[in-house]
Amino acid sequence: MADEKAERYIQRSSEIDAKAYAINYGAHREGMTKEEIAQYYSEWAYRGTYDHDLSPERYHGPEYAADVVSNHFIKNRESAKILDVAAGTGRLGEELFHRGFRNIDALDPAEGMLSVARKRGAYKDYFCEFMDGHALDIKNDTYDCVVVSGGMGEGHIPCRAVPEMIRIAKPGGLVCIVMREEYISYVEEYIDRLEPLFKQLEIEGKWQLISRTIVPKYSFDNNGVIFQYKAL
Ligand SMILES: C[S@@+](CC[C@H](N)C(=O)[O-])C[C@H]1O[C@@H](n2cnc3c(N)ncnc32)[C@H](O)[C@@H]1O
């Protein structure tokens, strides 16, 4: 399904868009280990082409996420403590920095991606780590906002990592996940699991849904879905 869809997109797109799509798809192939995925991203970043391939014309995740976070924090942007999960090359951090946020940390397992993010200078602390459900060396209730843009996908952040995001968010803090909508229905890890888990965590009183919004042209011509939850 994913292969066929990628093939269809590649066939009908301009050469440059098709190339970018294919490179991005290379990080989302079934059967890749998480280490292979991190290495793929690192090499992509070290080649210096990630930000061009996933430029704002082709990938709007960071802008969508920055809008959500900005709308949530009208005041106290300088002090609001934010964790950008799967921060990559730091486009979201840069967007947030431009909007007045000054207390942002970055987490990503791909050192090559973080090396580009470091040059942007938007973040305070860097965690070269997977968000995969293991307990991070971060205290409970640390962040006013935990935000993910583009970190969900085949082999990427698994369902079991969601409680860890809530654990490190302060009660009342924002947990925001921005992802490609179709992944919910074709990434094996998420099918009939991700949204039921979100609901289960709500039933357990771990968080509360603020909104679930579909947005157009999130990535290439694919819709995105933005989940906003209040950690409890
Ligand atoms: C498409 S990029 C998105 C980067 C950035 N957030 C952006 O919007 O430009 C996906 C990122 O997810 C990271 N990633 C993959 N698996 C991850 C995991 N289990 N935990 C945290 N980050 C992960 C990759 O290293 C990569 O930097």
Side-chain angles (χ1 to χ4, degrees):
M1 157 72 184
D3 285 341
E4 286 163 29
K5 202 174 174 299
E7 198 56 47
R8 277 202 303 277
Y9 181 88
I10 287 166
Q11 276 167 10
R12 69 169 189 272
S13 303
S14 69
E15 197 180 332
I16 191 164
D17 284 348
K19 190 166 165 247
Y21 192 99
I23 293 169
N24 184 52
Y25 183 63
H28 293 81
R29 283 164 292 153
E30 279 179 44
M32 288 174 86
T33 64
K34 62 182 183 175
E35 290 81 10
E36 284 167 346
I37 290 171
Q39 187 173 346
Y40 185 96
Y41 278 110
S42 268
E43 287 169 5
W44 190 0
Y46 284 132
R47 286 199 300 277
T49 51
Y50 173 89
D51 283 337
H52 175 262
D53 292 331
L54 293 194
S55 65
E57 293 81 50
R58 286 188 271 273
Y59 169 54
H60 299 288
E63 291 77 22
Y64 278 132
D67 284 347
V68 168
V69 176
S70 304
N71 289 337
H72 193 86
F73 294 94
I74 304 298
K75 294 186 199 158
N76 304 324
R77 288 190 182 174
E78 288 202 7
S79 58
K81 193 166 172 63
I82 296 175
L83 181 64
D84 180 0
V85 175
T89 58
R91 271 186 51 205
L92 171 55
E94 187 170 70
E95 285 291 326
L96 291 171
F97 194 88
H98 287 153
R99 295 160 199 235
F101 293 89
R102 292 291 179 273
N103 197 2
I104 320 164
D105 294 342
L107 180 145
D108 199 285
E111 183 48 48
M113 298 290 271
L114 287 181
S115 72
V116 178
R118 283 193 174 89
K119 289 186 196 134
R120 286 193 145 103
Y123 299 104
K124 279 191 161 169
D125 285 335
Y126 296 83
F127 302 94
C128 190
E129 292 249 26
F130 289 95
M131 179 65 89
D132 60 1
H134 80 277
L136 297 164
D137 190 14
I138 297 175
K139 291 196 177 104
N140 291 353
D141 310 341
T142 296
Y143 288 99
D144 296 294
C145 171
V146 176
V147 57
V148 184
S149 162
M152 309 298 284
E154 182 69 47
H156 287 51
I157 297 175
C159 292
R160 63 181 175 278
V162 177
E164 184 65 2
M165 295 189 217
I166 302 174
R167 181 188 71 75
I168 60 176
K170 291 178 186 171
L174 175 68
V175 180
C176 173
I177 297 174
V178 184
M179 62 185 286
R180 207 190 274 198
E181 183 192 15
E182 64 183 9
Y183 287 165
I184 291 173
S185 53
Y186 82 63
V187 170
E188 194 67 34
E189 169 71 15
Y190 304 147
I191 301 171
D192 295 333
R193 291 189 69 210
L194 189 66
E195 292 207 83
L197 170 68
F198 288 176
K199 288 202 181 81
Q200 182 59 32
L201 290 167
E202 193 163 19
I203 291 165
E204 290 171 12
K206 301 283 188 345
W207 68 3
Q208 187 180 15
L209 181 66
I210 301 171
S211 62
R212 179 196 193 279
T213 314
I214 304 295
V215 290
K217 297 249 168 220
Y218 158 77
S219 169
F220 298 89
D221 58 357
N222 296 291
N223 282 349
V225 55
I226 302 177
F227 296 97
Q228 285 190 74
Y229 280 91
K230 179 162 98 171
L232 299 174

